[in-house]
Amino acid sequence: MTITTTITTDHDDTGTDGADQRPDWQIAGDAWEHAAIDWAYRFEPYARDAIAHCFDAQGVGPGCDLLDMACGSGYALGIAERRGARTAGIDASAGLIDIARGRAPQAELVVGSMFELPWDDESFDALSSFNGIWGGCQEAVDEAYRVLRPGGSIAITFWGPGKALDMRDFFIVIGTTAPGVADELIGLAAIGAPGVCEGMLESSGFEVTERGATSAILEAPTADDIWRTLRSPGVVLPSLRHVGEDELRRQVLDAVDPFQAADGSYRLVNELTHVIARKPA
């Protein structure tokens, strides 16, 4: 997820005119490193049901060369390796890639931009991006088409437009506690509208074969645990900087209070939409 405009003004790596000179993907990568361990082990497993469904549909297993774009800390890559696939991944965050090296020790891992993939044309049989490609990422879809072999498949997931999104109020908090974040989130989430993801894929030359949804569940035993989980995504960093840790914690816990059980634990159920497409043979 790219959140570059909301954190550029807080970054120290500037040129003589005061403007940030680093590529946008590097700034986004920095943001996703602010709580890399918590993201990897508390949040990222949310996609496990979607990963299983998509990999089944794509035939990810022995003999399959898979690329995971915006691979994070390698949760999906580890699953693909255990299925017998040959794997590669790219992410903007060096900290998350460091974790991925342990989760997917056989994978070819690259810190870089999904808009400029460092692989040759027709290098992979399957490609996945679990909540990594969003609205405004057409160039990444074009790159995915380039590196896939004819007949290869792509699977993209994103938060669904349906009613099952227990994190909705959390996203509202993040969108209203730092300047500029709301507009970015709206633009990124545009991919969730029916037909938008399909249109992006078809524009690159893909043939859409499936649209569906799985459940993405976040669970935590205590308020401290759910706070550490929800503060870990990179998109939260501007709010942490703008209103501070204590105030943001209060607002986030208020947002998820309806999902706290009598024993103090939390369970947030969310719809994760997937779209699968193939490159014509």
Side-chain angles (χ1 to χ4, degrees), residues 47-59:
R48 55 187 173 270
D49 289 350
I51 293 168
H53 177 88
C54 291
F55 283 178
D56 283 347
Q58 293 178 281

Side-chain angles (χ1 to χ4, degrees), residues 38-39 41-43 218-232 249 252-253 256 260 264-266 268:
D38 281 340
W39 165 260
Y41 297 103
R42 295 173 181 271
F43 204 121
L218 291 177
E219 295 178 309
T222 68
D224 285 342
D225 287 296
I226 197 66
W227 163 240
R228 287 185 62 182
T229 299
L230 294 175
R231 80 180 291 281
S232 66
R249 184 182 191 276
V252 166
L253 290 183
V256 298
Q260 185 178 30
S265 64
Y266 293 79
L268 281 66

Side-chain angles (χ1 to χ4, degrees), residues 145-258:
Y145 188 90
R146 179 182 67 80
V147 301
L148 270 175
R149 295 173 182 136
S153 64
I154 180 174
I156 298 174
T157 72
F158 43 86
W159 297 119
K163 296 180 179 179
L165 188 62
D166 290 351
M167 291 201 302
R168 181 175 284 109
D169 287 347
F170 161 75
F171 286 126
I172 290 173
V173 168
I174 300 308
T176 56
T177 48
V181 175
D183 288 342
E184 281 200 63
L185 289 178
I186 290 170
L188 295 168
I191 196 173
V196 172
C197 182
E198 290 88 339
M200 292 170 65
L201 289 162
E202 290 167 353
S203 177
S204 295
F206 286 106
E207 298 173 348
V208 175
T209 60
E210 177 180 333
R211 181 187 178 102
T214 54
S215 292
I217 300 173
L218 291 177
E219 295 178 309
T222 68
D224 285 342
D225 287 296
I226 197 66
W227 163 240
R228 287 185 62 182
T229 299
L230 294 175
R231 80 180 291 281
S232 66
V235 72
V236 176
L237 185 59
S239 295
L240 283 168
R241 289 175 168 172
H242 195 70
V243 302
E245 184 97 9
D246 292 343
E247 175 59 19
L248 188 62
R249 184 182 191 276
R250 181 190 67 78
Q251 293 194 39
V252 166
L253 290 183
D254 284 348
V256 298
D257 181 70

Side-chain angles (χ1 to χ4, degrees), residues 82-102:
R82 291 191 293 275
R83 285 171 167 247
R86 294 181 294 270
T87 58
I90 187 168
D91 197 89
S93 169
L96 291 177
I97 287 291
D98 284 343
I99 299 171
R101 295 189 198 284

Side-chain angles (χ1 to χ4, degrees), residues 5-65:
T5 61
T6 58
I7 64 172
T8 300
T9 55
D10 291 334
H11 209 284
D12 293 328
D13 189 3
T14 57
T16 56
D17 61 354
D20 198 307
Q21 301 299 302
R22 287 150 41 92
D24 286 353
W25 67 266
Q26 289 182 323
I27 301 171
D30 290 346
W32 283 88
E33 288 183 26
H34 87 279
I37 294 294
D38 281 340
W39 165 260
Y41 297 103
R42 295 173 181 271
F43 204 121
E44 196 167 19
Y46 76 96
R48 55 187 173 270
D49 289 350
I51 293 168
H53 177 88
C54 291
F55 283 178
D56 283 347
Q58 293 178 281
V60 174
C64 175
D65 292 311

